[in-house]
Amino acid sequence: MAGCHTDCIEKPISIGFQKFGRFVGRNPWWFFVIPLMTSFVLGCGFYYLEDREANDIEDQFTPVNGPAKLERQYVQENFPQNDSVFSSQRLYTDGVYASFIAVSRSSNILTESAFKEIIRLDRKVRGIRVSAGQEKLSFESLCAMKHDKCIPNAILDIVDYNASQVERTKLTYPFYNSGFHHIFMGYSIGGIDSDSSVVKSAKALRLFYFLKEDDRSKTDLWLNEFLRVFPSNLSLKFITVTHSTSLSRQVEFEANSKDVIPLFSITYVIAISFSILSCLRFDCVRNKVWVATFGVLSAGLAVLSSFGMMLYIGVPFVMTVANSPFLILGIGVDDMFILISCWQQTNVHGKVEDRLADTYKEAAISITITTLTDVLAFYIGLMTPFRSVRSFCLYTSTAILFCYIYSITFFGAFLVLNGRRENSNRHWLTCKEVPEEHPPGRSKGFYLCCVGGAYDRHTGSEEIQPMNHFFKKYYGPFLTKTWTKGLVILLYAAYLTTSIYGCFQIQEGIDLRNLAADDSYVVKYYNDEKEYFSEYGPNIMVMVKGEFPYWNQKNMSDLDSCVDNFKNLSFIEEDIFTSWIQAYEYYAHHMKLNLNNETVFKDNLSSFLEYSDFKQDVNFTNNTIYTSRFFIQTVNITTAIDEMNMLNELRDTAKKCPVPLVVYHPAFIYHDQYAVIVSNTIQNIGVTTAVMLVISLLLIPNPLCSLWVTFSIASVIVGVTGFMALWDVNLDTISMIILVVCIGFSVDFSAHISYAFVSNKKPSANEKAVEALFTLGYPIVQGAVSTILGVVVLSASKNYIFRTFFKIMFLVIFFGLFHGITFIPVFLTFFDICGADKVRSQDVLAHDSQALAQSQSPNKICRVKDSGKQTYDNHTFLTDTNQCQIQQCPGVWPYAGNAQQAHSGQACIANSVPAFTVENQAPEVQMYMGSNNALYTTNHQKLHSDEQVYKSANTSSPALTQSDTPLLTDNATAEPECPDHPDL
């Protein structure tokens, strides 16, 4: 290790992959067939898919062990429900119900004509009957009851189910006084226009039909029948109706799978089409059509194997996991493009196993870094308290591992098989051997279809593709201009400023209506509910935890103070307060009881509770009050921010109270996500970024570049978070998943380009940037475009989950790509991170110059000035000119190769390292000399296959010849200079 490089891990891994690539190249069929068989066996795990589906919304999209779940457990244990005295206010669940909202087509629904249609709908609902075996079930047999009657809809009771009574009834809001009863109308009438408390008009009416919770199998049958018959045969002139049930949200969420399944086939067709087009060559031999097809197939096999294995071992399959195949496709195709790019840079005349070995040596570290970072990012995501996120991370991380394994086995094996076809110059479609040169007299069409096998005569690799040429000749030099760098900095500043602004606009939490498809009847119901019934929010129960001396004035003063604190909250309606202790005090006042006496308090409590609606609010057992509760009413809770603030302030107020209090409402189960989602997202991002830094430091042979990779991660995360807020995407369990993905993909782009930057041998930072873009710019663009195409079909989905996945993935890929091919290359040029390399290069040149000057050998050698050419196995490459410079040379200039490498052709030996290797047979070195272009040849004795002969500038080499044979034969006279090139 020298200079700024830290390749103690990177180098042995590269060598290891090189050996593995050679092994795969020699045994391609094993590595091609075994993944296919493995995928078939593991894919049989899809048999268990139906059994593994776990789409319970509460279980999957709410925090495990969230505070509200513990609060609900406390309510269940201390305030058990009594279906014979049903109260929707006192439910600790959402309840079992059907509901519909009637909205007037005119400005007022409180008309006789509108109520006739509403009453007709009510009769239709109550007339629904279902069969459970031999048993006939009606609404009356299943309904929740109070005083042996089904729970009525208050508004219909008020008009006595007589539409003509509506316009003559004086409704008051929010309470309607009926004798000694105060009926709360806030959940029944919406869109109110009132004069003081008297209702002048209303726009909407909502009716509920509550069922018992003791036998869910029967009630579910009735609810499903309600969903089937209710929308049908509705000829309504004066109202429009939306409907829902307690099952609807869950049923509609599970139906989302039907929406996404057709998108899989479309996505893979798009991915294969793009891959083929981007790998298409106008050369019937070098064409990569089948390579691209099998690259996409490799990603598909990875999904099949990983999902099948997870289903075999019983991992729950959640709806969010359905996003994973789209993601895996992008990752797999990205790796494919990197491998193809490196393959194209190998010597086309080399053995296929050597080509694959060189491909793996160059590409393995790059795809290993991205795989490690992606997998670890997802495994870190397992720390989240949301089961839906855990399932997604587990399925996706396993799929990425299979994708990586299949890329270096299945896809690598196919590269070898395709390489064998290319080596024999066979047509990509017919596999028949075709001529390499255009036969005279043949048409241009024949040339395009039946002539192939072209390659770069200077480098021995496949011809440079136009896009690679664009990055090297145009984009790279343009990007490294001084004024362009300044423009890039300004562009980055604008990007960062906008992103930070967007981060402050982010909203938290998932709106439950987003779990259904856009055109679902549930969404329409929720929209009406939000528009007309958002004035009054949930009715919150506040529980006094544990035994409390309600007869003690001092303690009651503390409790009253806490109640006042709740009433003073901005979202609490202080006039709507339900309290058993308040009613008990009113009862005691009329009965002239002294409630400051413990005995009197307890002795009269049972009789009070027996004849009131508060029996379910006091856990009074064995003459001891173990706990009790009262209720407060929230108002104007319309947004996720309102829900979050409500939950936090209620819990904070309860904690500050000297009396131990617990607040609860069934909606809190879902609101709990607000308490953990931000902190959990920050935790995951922080831990993952730290892990990414460690991996980058270990595998990218330059510490500063590793820091730039980490910087890129942070920058892309900020950008995605800010712009997703500006694109109306909330921070919820869905977007949190993609932010974890964001980290992995950020590493993908920056790691590829950073590794290419530090590993190339160009002397200046600008040249390194151009070379890195030339090498990997096009594959990175291919990978980015293929990933976007992989998820673009999700933008057409009717489901929020899939659309959100598309939006954030688009932002991740777009910003990641922009960082990879614009920001990072420019920023890397600002730091002379490879100054040590330049010093070493200068030292080598100085050493060579010194050796050249000190050499007294009369031997001459022809050297090409800055030829930039390389010698490959089994091939001799032409130089730009037949004229070479003749200079004094130190003894013997280097040459490495074998007999086949030195076959007939033109060769100029470059001054690189003062040593050479001869293997197996005596090489015949040929070169053109001086002005007459005479070909000089020297034949050496055959050496042992593993013998290396080194000759320094001033040392003879007896191993070369038996009689000090000079390097050049004496059948021509060497000129001291090249007349045609006097400037050399």
Side-chain angles (χ1 to χ4, degrees), residues 520-550:
S520 168
Y521 64 89
V522 177
V523 174
K524 297 173 183 177
Y525 177 87
Y526 287 155
N527 288 339
D528 283 346
E529 187 177 53
K530 184 175 182 179
E531 183 175 358
Y532 301 112
F533 298 94
S534 60
E535 181 179 355
Y536 289 97
N539 193 256
I540 310 299
M541 64 176 70
V542 182
M543 293 163 283
V544 181
K545 195 173 182 179
E547 297 181 30
F548 181 78
Y550 298 92

Side-chain angles (χ1 to χ4, degrees), residues 71-72 74-76 78-79 81 87-93 538-544 566 572 577-578 616-617 628-634 650 654 661-666 668:
E71 294 159 4
R72 179 175 62 187
Y74 182 82
V75 177
Q76 287 175 299
N78 291 277
F79 304 99
Q81 287 182 200
S87 171
S88 60
Q89 184 183 38
R90 292 167 174 84
L91 289 172
Y92 53 77
T93 65
N539 193 256
I540 310 299
M541 64 176 70
V542 182
M543 293 163 283
V544 181
F566 279 111
I572 297 296
F577 178 68
T578 306
Q616 299 181 74
D617 295 339
S628 71
R629 62 185 173 184
F630 55 88
F631 299 87
I632 53 178
Q633 179 64 52
T634 61
L650 285 173
L661 300 178
V662 177
V663 294
Y664 175 74
H665 186 273
F668 288 2

Side-chain angles (χ1 to χ4, degrees), residues 132 375 546 604:
V375 169
N604 292 276

Side-chain angles (χ1 to χ4, degrees), residues 25 60 147 200 296 318 351 373 399 416 424 429 431 482 517 522 524 526 543 562 606 633 697 899 935 950 970 984:
Q60 297 298 326
H147 306 313
K200 295 169 60 179
V296 178
V318 191
K351 296 180 179 179
T373 53
V416 172
S424 57
L429 184 60
C431 286
T482 303
V522 177
K524 297 173 183 177
Y526 287 155
M543 293 163 283
C562 294
S606 295
Q633 179 64 52
L697 286 170
L935 177 64
Y950 297 90
D970 295 328
L984 295 179

Side-chain angles (χ1 to χ4, degrees), residues 561-618:
S561 176
C562 294
V563 170
D564 290 338
N565 291 337
F566 279 111
K567 290 182 177 180
N568 290 332
L569 294 175
S570 60
F571 52 85
I572 297 296
E573 176 57 70
E574 60 178 342
D575 295 330
I576 303 177
F577 178 68
T578 306
S579 170
W580 71 273
I581 188 67
Q582 191 178 66
Y584 191 30
E585 289 174 347
Y586 183 77
Y587 170 82
H589 175 73
H590 284 277
M591 299 296 293
K592 302 187 184 306
L593 301 176
N594 180 17
L595 295 185
N596 294 328
N597 183 285
E598 179 179 358
T599 304
V600 174
F601 191 99
K602 292 181 177 179
D603 289 347
N604 292 276
L605 181 58
S606 295
S607 59
F608 163 74
L609 295 176
E610 191 67 30
Y611 298 101
S612 71
D613 291 336
F614 298 105
K615 187 174 182 178
Q616 299 181 74
D617 295 339
V618 185

Side-chain angles (χ1 to χ4, degrees), residues 1-6 701-704 757-758 760-765 768 831-845:
M1 186 175 69
C4 61
H5 285 253
T6 55
N702 187 286
L704 285 179
F757 184 95
V758 301
N760 72 70
K761 305 302 181 183
K762 295 296 181 180
S764 70
K768 282 179 175 289
F831 296 86
D832 193 9
I833 58 175
C834 293
D837 290 339
K838 290 193 290 186
V839 171
R840 288 198 305 274
S841 299
Q842 292 168 358
D843 289 344
V844 170
L845 290 174

Side-chain angles (χ1 to χ4, degrees), residues 661-765:
L661 300 178
V662 177
V663 294
Y664 175 74
H665 186 273
F668 288 2
I669 300 291
Y670 302 98
H671 296 347
D672 265 347
Q673 60 181 303
Y674 305 127
V676 298
I677 197 160
V678 174
S679 59
N680 196 257
T681 302
I682 293 173
Q683 170 190 299
N684 287 348
I685 289 175
V687 173
T688 308
T689 304
V691 172
M692 301 304 107
L693 175 59
V694 172
I695 293 175
S696 300
L697 286 170
L698 292 176
L699 296 182
I700 297 179
N702 187 286
L704 285 179
C705 282
S706 300
L707 293 175
W708 276 115
V709 170
T710 308
F711 158 79
S712 177
I713 293 172
S715 179
V716 173
I717 288 173
V718 171
V720 171
T721 305
F723 277 83
M724 81 179 195
L726 301 177
W727 205 354
D728 296 326
V729 176
N730 289 1
L731 179 60
D732 51 36
T733 53
I734 309 303
S735 54
M736 183 172 71
I737 291 172
I738 316 304
L739 285 176
V740 174
V741 176
C742 177
I743 299 173
F745 273 86
S746 302
V747 175
D748 286 3
F749 296 110
S750 56
H752 286 322
I753 209 72
S754 298
Y755 181 77
F757 184 95
V758 301
S759 60
N760 72 70
K761 305 302 181 183
K762 295 296 181 180
S764 70

